[in-house]
Amino acid sequence: MKQSNRVFITGRSALTASGNTAEATWDAILNGQSGIAEIAEWDLSQWSTRLGGELKNFQPAKMLPDRKLIKVISRQDVIGINAAVQAVEHSQMLSYRDTLTDVDAYNDQSAVFVGSPGNKYFQQYDFLPLLAKTHGQMQPFAQHLFEEVHPMWLLRILPNNVLAYTGITYGFKGPNHNVTNHAVGGTQALVEAYHAISSGQVDRAVVVAYDVAEPQSLFYYEQLGVLSQRHLKPFDEEHDGTIMAEGAAALVLESEASVRARSATCYGEIIGGLSNSEVAGLFSIEADGQQLTELMHRTLSSVDLKPQDIGFIVAHGNGNVKSDDSEAQAINNVFAQQAIPVTAFKWSMGHTICASGLIDAVLATYALETQCVPGIANLQQVAASCSELSVSAEHRPLNRSTHALIINRGFASMNTCLVIKSGE
């Protein structure tokens, strides 16, 4: 598949339990530090599963471009908007826009793509006191609804708040898309933005993904048997589940012409990406990783690369036995002959669900830039089922290629693959 325009990364950001910026998160990974700890936001002292990845020193009003927004948005929106702000500021695109005589034309060619987590339990909190007061009876509930429930509740729960306010803040009027697809939503938003630029639809795009954990989701994920009470250890013999986390990330993408027009610094190049579903079920995945194998083959073929052209792989690596094992099998199916270094980042900040793929993409650009494949710091003994993977607790030099493959997986047996090349 040939594309007409190259797509470069000119701005990046991340907010995770390990750091409130992309650089701080990268430094934590290099230093073997994890932000996972007992959750402090809620009282879970009686719960068996209490670990999570929470942002540190969360100060919502200071994180927004307009403090008044705090009245009409939620915690997850704050995180997403802040990620967008950090990435736009990092790109320095606004200072260039300020020099133009036709700002409207620039804004018309500037898009926003967002991976949104969709519905959350907190969105129903405004109704709970009235439901309790009316004992769940709908007629009295309806009679008192408008006097008991604040009219602003609707604005706080809109799934496209981050999309809307990012565009409003910067005046970006180009295409805007809100992708909601569990853990792969952020990566799919990135791929959509890539295609919009490569096809000439727009010149630039801000891509954002964000998510938060809630006590209810923690409870139900535990009931599904996917959470660990101890740790998140991808591909380790002790891997026994994942750990929920909140976080966000953003990338600014630009066409080659847009980059050259303002002599922008590039932090990587998006080469391509694809997604598929194993159609195994909402909570099931193929044990042999066949669909993920085929997706990696198709992704590489679509960008005219061979397995040996990949320098390292950022695995989904969520610590669940079935996910780790099937992912390891798929990677071995494609890359067994190359022994390509494999790493993963969730051990440090937890599983940020919708934001996870975009966070991995941001961190992959740091690995390409520094020519370093970070180790999985808490890896002690590779699981027998993952023994053929080239994983390590130690950092390794990137000395064979300038390309990274990122794998992202989610419920409904969704898979995405993304290829990023080092910036030139």
Side-chain angles (χ1 to χ4, degrees):
M1 179 176 62
K2 300 294 183 181
Q3 300 290 349
S4 57
N5 295 322
R6 297 172 70 184
V7 180
F8 292 92
I9 298 168
T10 59
R12 56 190 176 183
S13 71
L15 296 85
T16 71
S18 300
N20 287 334
T21 65
E23 187 169 353
T25 300
W26 174 251
D27 288 343
I29 288 170
L30 291 183
N31 293 320
Q33 298 171 347
S34 171
I36 295 171
E38 285 206 10
I39 293 173
E41 186 180 355
W42 325 299
D43 180 9
L44 303 180
S45 57
Q46 303 302 311
W47 291 39
S48 58
T49 301
R50 299 188 295 273
L51 295 178
E54 295 179 294
L55 297 186
K56 310 301 187 292
N57 302 315
F58 182 73
Q59 302 179 59
K62 294 182 179 180
M63 298 170 69
L64 294 170
D66 182 352
R67 293 191 177 194
K68 294 190 294 293
L69 284 179
I70 198 65
K71 298 179 180 179
V72 293
I73 61 175
S74 66
R75 179 187 180 97
Q76 66 179 19
D77 298 334
V78 171
I79 296 171
I81 292 170
N82 182 260
V85 169
Q86 285 194 43
V88 169
E89 291 180 352
H90 183 242
S91 73
Q92 300 182 10
M93 64 193 301
L94 299 183
S95 58
Y96 170 75
R97 185 181 66 175
D98 291 343
T99 68
L100 301 176
T101 56
D102 192 351
V103 174
D104 285 340
Y106 186 92
N107 289 340
D108 288 343
Q109 285 294 308
S110 302
V112 182
F113 290 78
V114 172
S116 166
N119 293 331
K120 291 288 186 179
Y121 292 100
F122 75 81
Q123 294 167 343
Q124 310 305 321
Y125 288 177
D126 291 274
F127 300 99
L128 297 182
L130 182 57
L131 281 173
K133 185 184 298 185
T134 58
H135 305 288
Q137 299 299 311
M138 287 298 99
Q139 187 169 351
F141 176 85
Q143 290 174 343
H144 296 283
L145 177 63
F146 296 107
E147 62 192 57
E148 295 278 345
V149 176
H150 196 283
M152 299 296 282
W153 77 269
L154 177 61
L155 297 181
R156 287 196 297 268
I157 71 166
L158 291 175
N160 63 332
N161 272 339
V162 172
L163 179 76
Y165 287 116
T166 298
I168 291 169
T169 297
Y170 298 112
F172 294 157
K173 302 176 183 178
N176 57 95
H177 294 264
N178 210 60
V179 180
T180 301
N181 196 0
H182 196 249
V184 301
T187 307
Q188 288 185 327
L190 179 58
V191 173
E192 291 294 322
Y194 159 77
H195 284 298
I197 296 173
S198 64
S199 65
Q201 186 179 2
V202 293
D203 293 331
R204 65 199 65 83
V206 181
V207 186
V208 190
Y210 60 101
D211 214 328
V212 293
E214 300 177 285
Q216 295 95 333
S217 61
L218 193 71
F219 173 80
Y220 288 117
Y221 273 92
E222 182 181 21
Q223 296 302 299
L224 290 173
V226 299
L227 298 185
S228 173
Q229 299 178 15
R230 304 185 296 160
H231 49 223
L232 198 166
K233 301 188 71 173
F235 310 118
D236 191 278
E237 65 176 1
E238 293 186 342
H239 60 173
D240 60 357
T242 197
I243 293 175
M244 304 286 287
E246 61 185 355
L251 289 171
V252 174
L253 307 183
E254 297 188 56
S255 67
E256 186 173 10
S258 181
V259 167
R260 288 182 175 177
R262 67 184 190 92
S263 301
T265 300
C266 295
Y267 303 98
E269 180 180 357
I270 305 295
I271 301 299
L274 295 173
S275 64
N276 74 356
S277 174
E278 300 171 9
V279 295
L282 285 178
F283 310 120
S284 302
I285 51 178
E286 295 178 330
D288 60 3
Q290 189 56 43
Q291 288 299 317
L292 180 56
T293 299
E294 293 182 9
L295 178 62
M296 284 190 280
H297 277 306
R298 288 197 298 111
T299 301
L300 294 177
S301 177
S302 71
V303 295
D304 297 325
L305 293 177
K306 297 179 175 60
Q308 58 266 31
D309 296 324
I310 298 298
F312 71 100
I313 297 168
V314 179
H316 186 65
N318 68 7
N320 274 313
V321 175
K322 290 183 178 180
S323 180
D324 281 1
D325 289 358
S326 61
E327 184 175 20
Q329 180 63 51
I331 292 172
N332 289 331
N333 290 343
V334 180
F335 297 98
Q337 302 304 314
Q338 281 74 42
I340 291 174
V342 176
T343 190
F345 300 127
K346 291 180 180 64
W347 64 267
S348 180
M349 78 283 294
H351 193 341
T352 53
I353 312 298
C354 183
S356 61
L358 204 58
I359 290 173
D360 284 352
V362 169
L363 296 173
T365 67
Y366 278 87
L368 288 166
E369 182 180 346
T370 60
Q371 293 288 286
C372 172
V373 181
I376 300 173
N378 62 356
L379 182 69
Q380 294 176 297
Q381 179 65 45
V382 180
S385 54
C386 307
S387 60
E388 294 185 22
L389 282 186
S390 178
V391 290
S392 172
E394 306 298 325
H395 305 328
R396 290 172 285 179
L398 176 59
N399 52 21
R400 58 175 295 157
S401 172
T402 57
H403 292 84
L405 176 71
I406 297 98
I407 300 171
N408 188 203
R409 312 182 80 184
F411 277 177
S413 56
M414 292 296 304
N415 298 309
T416 61
C417 287
L418 179 72
V419 180
I420 298 179
K421 182 183 178 183
S422 59
E424 298 178 356

